[in-house]
């Protein structure tokens, strides 16, 4: 019988062959052998990773000293951070955020009201919820199924809204931001 790494199992105390288990005989690979060319430092190179959102971690009342930037990356990181702050303040970014808020706020409020109305009606008017509609199907069952249906409809509407109204503008913003940060780092990607 073969193990998962292709070695033949023979002899010993393996329950299937009576032999030693393969992991007892096989030498373990060190990390250097398992991952040739792996370096100690792994750098996460997403331009959105280190960007500070406006209002998060900043305080107008308390003067917070800026964080220390390592000397090796001081110029590139500072320039990159400034680019992200400029993009965040840009009208295009604000438009994408306002389109998001204009959809999400009313949808969340509407769905919450619909859910609370269902729960309150079920607890305060059990005779209404027990009223039969067709056979064994009553108002409560239809309203409960309506909760599931409205969840799926809201998900579909959100995805459609994002695809038609925000995704293209957000991708253009991201592309432009990456080009600007690439230029700030001296053309390195």
């Amino acid at each position: 019988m073969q193990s998962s790494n292709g070695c033949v199992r023979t002899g010993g105390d393996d329950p299937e062959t009576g032999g030693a288990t393969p992991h007892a005989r096989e030498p373990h690979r060190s990390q250097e052998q398992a991952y040739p060319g792996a370096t100690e430092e792994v750098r996460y190179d997403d331009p959105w990773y280190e960007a500070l959102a406006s209002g998060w971690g900043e305080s107008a009342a308390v003067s917070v000293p800026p964080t220390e930037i390592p000397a090796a990356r001081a110029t590139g990181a500072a320039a990159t951070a400034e680019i992200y702050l400029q993009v965040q303040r840009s009208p295009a970014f604000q438009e994408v955020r306002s389109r998001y808020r204009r959809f999400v706020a009313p949808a969340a409020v509407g769905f919450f009201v619909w859910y609370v109305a269902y729960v309150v009606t079920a607890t305060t008017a059990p005779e209404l919820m027990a009223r039969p509609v067709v056979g064994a199907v009553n108002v409560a069952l239809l309203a409960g199924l309506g909760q599931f249906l409205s969840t799926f409809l809201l998900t579909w509407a959100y995805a459609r809204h994002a695809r038609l109204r925000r995704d293209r503008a957000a991708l253009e913003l991201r592309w432009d931001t990456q080009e600007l940060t690439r230029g700030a780092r001296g053309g390195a990607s």
Side-chain angles (χ1 to χ4, degrees), residues 63-164:
S63 175
V64 179
T67 58
E68 293 287 327
I69 299 173
R73 295 176 43 198
T75 349
T80 302
E82 185 57 37
I83 288 170
Y84 282 107
L85 289 174
Q86 288 175 359
V87 169
Q88 187 178 13
R89 294 178 189 123
S90 72
F93 183 84
Q94 296 303 321
E95 179 62 25
V96 170
R97 293 299 296 166
S98 68
R99 287 179 183 177
Y100 170 78
R101 285 187 210 108
R102 281 194 305 256
F103 179 83
V104 169
V109 168
F111 187 79
F112 183 72
V113 167
W114 159 231
Y115 175 74
V116 169
Y118 170 71
V119 171
V120 168
T121 305
T123 57
T124 60
E127 64 282 348
L128 171 69
M129 297 300 263
R131 184 175 297 157
V133 176
V134 175
V137 177
N138 59 15
V139 173
L141 182 62
L142 289 178
L145 291 174
Q147 290 287 317
F148 285 103
L149 179 63
S150 64
T151 301
F152 291 117
L153 286 174
L154 185 60
T155 304
W156 170 81
Y158 176 82
R160 183 175 185 274
H161 181 268
R163 186 181 68 246
L164 295 177

